[in-house]
Amino acid sequence: MSHHMEWFREAKFGMFIHWGLYSLLGRGEWVMHNEGIPAAEYETLMRKFKPRRGCIRDWARLARRAGMRYMVLTTKHHDGFCLFRTRHTDFHALNSAAGRDLVAEYVEAVRAEGLKVGLYFSLGDWNHPAYKAVANGDASQCGKLREFIHGQVRELMTQYGKIDLLWYDGAWFNGGTLSAESLGSAALNDMARQLQPGIIINERAGVPADYVTCENELKPAPFGQDWEMCTCINDMWGYARHDYNYKTVNQLLFLLSNCATNGGNLLLNIGPRANGTVPAPQVQRLEAVGRWLKKQGEAIYGVERLPRVYTSNGRVTRKGSRLYYHVYYWPDREWSIVMSDQAMPGNDGAEPRPLVRLGAPVKASILATGKKLATRWEGNRLILSGLPAVPPDKADTVVVVDL
Ligand code: GLC
């Protein structure tokens, strides 16, 4: 895979943002569909959509504090409301009470924090007659739909300078009129790559692209395939006033380290209110993850995926000659790691080589505190001693072994 994937592989952690007219209602991003709200009624929400200036800059700052390296914003979700200036529909932010191009504001904010810019774009559009027609089997509208989608993606790829990532969603191919062919997905990606050389694209337009996604479920792709898991801090993507089902900080750290060591990224969602504020439980959790990454991020960013990732009490990963053991379940004052000198294939087809030489001198320490640990070999067991009785970090304490 070409070098444009480098930043993505290094990043490991990104912020997903679901935000649009639905945020006003506070019942998730599917509210229009789920409650059967007629388009004409839903459109009146535009009059009330007036986010505070600077709110997007706050999200970008929050992402940086959380240790995230990229952001992905819903420029248009399935409801069809566009946060960007578009010539292809009137249903966009400049015609709302906001009266400004929120994608322009977003791109500027993300760049200002030194993060990579990702744009989410829903191929499905409940507000557009051609989409509805094609989804219902009317092939005569395919041309119109294709023109509309390609036109909007072209706008996103040309109006804001450099875009790093394009995240499609919501095509819901119907096995007939609505397909990757009828949407012209291959040509769509060609256009995006031509306008934005080096852009990274997900696979949800129905043609193979740079990486695959999994949703709300940690499902590592086969070795050698880049992937990303997206999930929420609670359950709902778009702001949901009464969604109290928050993951704990420990659960979020488990997801992050489990994705990273298995070669994937975690794209973690926030659902800001329509006015742009982020619910406090989301902010608090992201900041806690950021504090963990400040101390132990070395064991996340840019780590390699080993063919054997699972250990007796967590996960293992590597950078150069340094192994990182993410310990979820602390052993005790002494810990025996079963090592193997069997040759294993490296990342991206590198020559198979053994992970360790049994009996070779190694050094071990605790990453968060720098505490050195005594090491000795007993056959294929590497025994570390001098561990504290209680782990310095109860979610995930990283033990480093230098080969
Ligand atoms: C699903 C949902 C959508 C959400 C997306 C995130 O496709 O339809 O609402 O944006 O998941 O991956």
Side-chain angles (χ1 to χ4, degrees), residues 46-47 81 89-100:
M46 285 170 90
R47 292 190 223 128
F81 180 68
T89 170
D90 293 330
F91 197 34
H92 64 78
L94 286 95
N95 291 332
S96 75
R100 52 195 216 267

PDB file of all heavy atoms in Angstrom, residues 46-47 81 89-100:
ATOM      1  N   MET A  46     -34.321  24.266  10.032  1.00  0.00           N
ATOM      2  CA  MET A  46     -33.255  25.164   9.566  1.00  0.00           C
ATOM      3  C   MET A  46     -33.323  26.527  10.244  1.00  0.00           C
ATOM      4  O   MET A  46     -32.313  27.165  10.485  1.00  0.00           O
ATOM      5  CB  MET A  46     -33.352  25.368   8.053  1.00  0.00           C
ATOM      6  CG  MET A  46     -32.885  24.186   7.246  1.00  0.00           C
ATOM      7  SD  MET A  46     -33.328  24.435   5.530  1.00  0.00           S
ATOM      8  CE  MET A  46     -31.881  25.275   4.920  1.00  0.00           C
ATOM      9  N   ARG A  47     -34.542  26.958  10.528  1.00  0.00           N
ATOM     10  CA  ARG A  47     -34.712  28.292  11.126  1.00  0.00           C
ATOM     11  C   ARG A  47     -34.150  28.353  12.536  1.00  0.00           C
ATOM     12  O   ARG A  47     -33.913  29.422  13.070  1.00  0.00           O
ATOM     13  CB  ARG A  47     -36.197  28.661  11.162  1.00  0.00           C
ATOM     14  CG  ARG A  47     -36.771  28.877   9.784  1.00  0.00           C
ATOM     15  CD  ARG A  47     -38.169  29.466   9.880  1.00  0.00           C
ATOM     16  NE  ARG A  47     -39.038  28.805   8.917  1.00  0.00           N
ATOM     17  CZ  ARG A  47     -40.210  28.248   9.187  1.00  0.00           C
ATOM     18  NH1 ARG A  47     -40.702  28.302  10.406  1.00  0.00           N
ATOM     19  NH2 ARG A  47     -40.897  27.657   8.237  1.00  0.00           N
ATOM     20  N   PHE A  81     -29.349  17.186   4.972  1.00  0.00           N
ATOM     21  CA  PHE A  81     -28.973  18.561   5.284  1.00  0.00           C
ATOM     22  C   PHE A  81     -27.453  18.713   5.184  1.00  0.00           C
ATOM     23  O   PHE A  81     -26.712  17.985   5.849  1.00  0.00           O
ATOM     24  CB  PHE A  81     -29.461  18.958   6.683  1.00  0.00           C
ATOM     25  CG  PHE A  81     -29.091  20.370   7.052  1.00  0.00           C
ATOM     26  CD1 PHE A  81     -29.672  21.451   6.381  1.00  0.00           C
ATOM     27  CD2 PHE A  81     -28.169  20.623   8.053  1.00  0.00           C
ATOM     28  CE1 PHE A  81     -29.332  22.762   6.718  1.00  0.00           C
ATOM     29  CE2 PHE A  81     -27.828  21.925   8.398  1.00  0.00           C
ATOM     30  CZ  PHE A  81     -28.404  22.994   7.730  1.00  0.00           C
ATOM     31  N   THR A  89     -28.502  21.595  -3.997  1.00  0.00           N
ATOM     32  CA  THR A  89     -29.748  21.612  -3.226  1.00  0.00           C
ATOM     33  C   THR A  89     -29.772  22.913  -2.417  1.00  0.00           C
ATOM     34  O   THR A  89     -28.727  23.531  -2.192  1.00  0.00           O
ATOM     35  CB  THR A  89     -29.840  20.406  -2.256  1.00  0.00           C
ATOM     36  OG1 THR A  89     -30.959  20.603  -1.377  1.00  0.00           O
ATOM     37  CG2 THR A  89     -28.611  20.251  -1.399  1.00  0.00           C
ATOM     38  N   ASP A  90     -30.975  23.307  -2.003  1.00  0.00           N
ATOM     39  CA  ASP A  90     -31.074  24.501  -1.142  1.00  0.00           C
ATOM     40  C   ASP A  90     -30.999  24.130   0.328  1.00  0.00           C
ATOM     41  O   ASP A  90     -31.025  24.998   1.196  1.00  0.00           O
ATOM     42  CB  ASP A  90     -32.414  25.210  -1.382  1.00  0.00           C
ATOM     43  CG  ASP A  90     -32.486  25.799  -2.776  1.00  0.00           C
ATOM     44  OD1 ASP A  90     -31.419  26.170  -3.309  1.00  0.00           O
ATOM     45  OD2 ASP A  90     -33.610  25.866  -3.326  1.00  0.00           O
ATOM     46  N   PHE A  91     -30.949  22.834   0.565  1.00  0.00           N
ATOM     47  CA  PHE A  91     -31.033  22.332   1.943  1.00  0.00           C
ATOM     48  C   PHE A  91     -29.626  22.323   2.563  1.00  0.00           C
ATOM     49  O   PHE A  91     -29.013  21.282   2.747  1.00  0.00           O
ATOM     50  CB  PHE A  91     -31.629  20.920   1.885  1.00  0.00           C
ATOM     51  CG  PHE A  91     -32.151  20.397   3.185  1.00  0.00           C
ATOM     52  CD1 PHE A  91     -32.741  21.221   4.129  1.00  0.00           C
ATOM     53  CD2 PHE A  91     -32.064  19.031   3.467  1.00  0.00           C
ATOM     54  CE1 PHE A  91     -33.228  20.720   5.319  1.00  0.00           C
ATOM     55  CE2 PHE A  91     -32.546  18.507   4.660  1.00  0.00           C
ATOM     56  CZ  PHE A  91     -33.132  19.363   5.581  1.00  0.00           C
ATOM     57  N   HIS A  92     -29.131  23.518   2.860  1.00  0.00           N
ATOM     58  CA  HIS A  92     -27.764  23.602   3.397  1.00  0.00           C
ATOM     59  C   HIS A  92     -27.596  24.740   4.397  1.00  0.00           C
ATOM     60  O   HIS A  92     -28.452  25.635   4.494  1.00  0.00           O
ATOM     61  CB  HIS A  92     -26.734  23.683   2.264  1.00  0.00           C
ATOM     62  CG  HIS A  92     -26.846  24.913   1.410  1.00  0.00           C
ATOM     63  ND1 HIS A  92     -26.373  26.139   1.790  1.00  0.00           N
ATOM     64  CD2 HIS A  92     -27.389  25.084   0.175  1.00  0.00           C
ATOM     65  CE1 HIS A  92     -26.596  27.018   0.830  1.00  0.00           C
ATOM     66  NE2 HIS A  92     -27.217  26.399  -0.159  1.00  0.00           N
ATOM     67  N   ALA A  93     -26.498  24.698   5.096  1.00  0.00           N
ATOM     68  CA  ALA A  93     -26.272  25.559   6.261  1.00  0.00           C
ATOM     69  C   ALA A  93     -26.356  27.043   5.952  1.00  0.00           C
ATOM     70  O   ALA A  93     -26.775  27.842   6.799  1.00  0.00           O
ATOM     71  CB  ALA A  93     -24.918  25.235   6.885  1.00  0.00           C
ATOM     72  N   LEU A  94     -25.968  27.442   4.741  1.00  0.00           N
ATOM     73  CA  LEU A  94     -25.992  28.880   4.448  1.00  0.00           C
ATOM     74  C   LEU A  94     -27.412  29.415   4.370  1.00  0.00           C
ATOM     75  O   LEU A  94     -27.645  30.606   4.536  1.00  0.00           O
ATOM     76  CB  LEU A  94     -25.205  29.176   3.168  1.00  0.00           C
ATOM     77  CG  LEU A  94     -23.703  29.072   3.427  1.00  0.00           C
ATOM     78  CD1 LEU A  94     -23.181  27.703   3.057  1.00  0.00           C
ATOM     79  CD2 LEU A  94     -22.933  30.165   2.752  1.00  0.00           C
ATOM     80  N   ASN A  95     -28.365  28.516   4.121  1.00  0.00           N
ATOM     81  CA  ASN A  95     -29.777  28.908   4.111  1.00  0.00           C
ATOM     82  C   ASN A  95     -30.443  28.696   5.469  1.00  0.00           C
ATOM     83  O   ASN A  95     -31.633  28.907   5.611  1.00  0.00           O
ATOM     84  CB  ASN A  95     -30.544  28.107   3.054  1.00  0.00           C
ATOM     85  CG  ASN A  95     -30.127  28.499   1.648  1.00  0.00           C
ATOM     86  OD1 ASN A  95     -29.698  29.635   1.436  1.00  0.00           O
ATOM     87  ND2 ASN A  95     -30.229  27.575   0.717  1.00  0.00           N
ATOM     88  N   SER A  96     -29.685  28.242   6.442  1.00  0.00           N
ATOM     89  CA  SER A  96     -30.239  28.046   7.782  1.00  0.00           C
ATOM     90  C   SER A  96     -29.929  29.288   8.619  1.00  0.00           C
ATOM     91  O   SER A  96     -29.254  30.209   8.144  1.00  0.00           O
ATOM     92  CB  SER A  96     -29.608  26.819   8.435  1.00  0.00           C
ATOM     93  OG  SER A  96     -28.286  27.115   8.862  1.00  0.00           O
ATOM     94  N   ALA A  97     -30.390  29.265   9.878  1.00  0.00           N
ATOM     95  CA  ALA A  97     -30.111  30.405  10.744  1.00  0.00           C
ATOM     96  C   ALA A  97     -28.603  30.582  10.957  1.00  0.00           C
ATOM     97  O   ALA A  97     -28.138  31.678  11.257  1.00  0.00           O
ATOM     98  CB  ALA A  97     -30.820  30.211  12.085  1.00  0.00           C
ATOM     99  N   ALA A  98     -27.847  29.511  10.778  1.00  0.00           N
ATOM    100  CA  ALA A  98     -26.381  29.612  10.913  1.00  0.00           C
ATOM    101  C   ALA A  98     -25.831  30.595   9.887  1.00  0.00           C
ATOM    102  O   ALA A  98     -24.970  31.424  10.209  1.00  0.00           O
ATOM    103  CB  ALA A  98     -25.740  28.237  10.715  1.00  0.00           C
ATOM    104  N   GLY A  99     -26.333  30.502   8.655  1.00  0.00           N
ATOM    105  CA  GLY A  99     -25.940  31.451   7.618  1.00  0.00           C
ATOM    106  C   GLY A  99     -24.472  31.404   7.259  1.00  0.00           C
ATOM    107  O   GLY A  99     -23.923  32.373   6.749  1.00  0.00           O
ATOM    108  N   ARG A 100     -23.794  30.299   7.554  1.00  0.00           N
ATOM    109  CA  ARG A 100     -22.373  30.208   7.200  1.00  0.00           C
ATOM    110  C   ARG A 100     -22.006  28.780   6.817  1.00  0.00           C
ATOM    111  O   ARG A 100     -22.734  27.834   7.150  1.00  0.00           O
ATOM    112  CB  ARG A 100     -21.498  30.728   8.338  1.00  0.00           C
ATOM    113  CG  ARG A 100     -21.797  30.112   9.690  1.00  0.00           C
ATOM    114  CD  ARG A 100     -21.136  30.948  10.790  1.00  0.00           C
ATOM    115  NE  ARG A 100     -20.640  30.113  11.867  1.00  0.00           N
ATOM    116  CZ  ARG A 100     -21.332  29.822  12.967  1.00  0.00           C
ATOM    117  NH1 ARG A 100     -22.575  30.267  13.123  1.00  0.00           N
ATOM    118  NH2 ARG A 100     -20.800  29.065  13.906  1.00  0.00           N
TER     119      ARG A 100
END
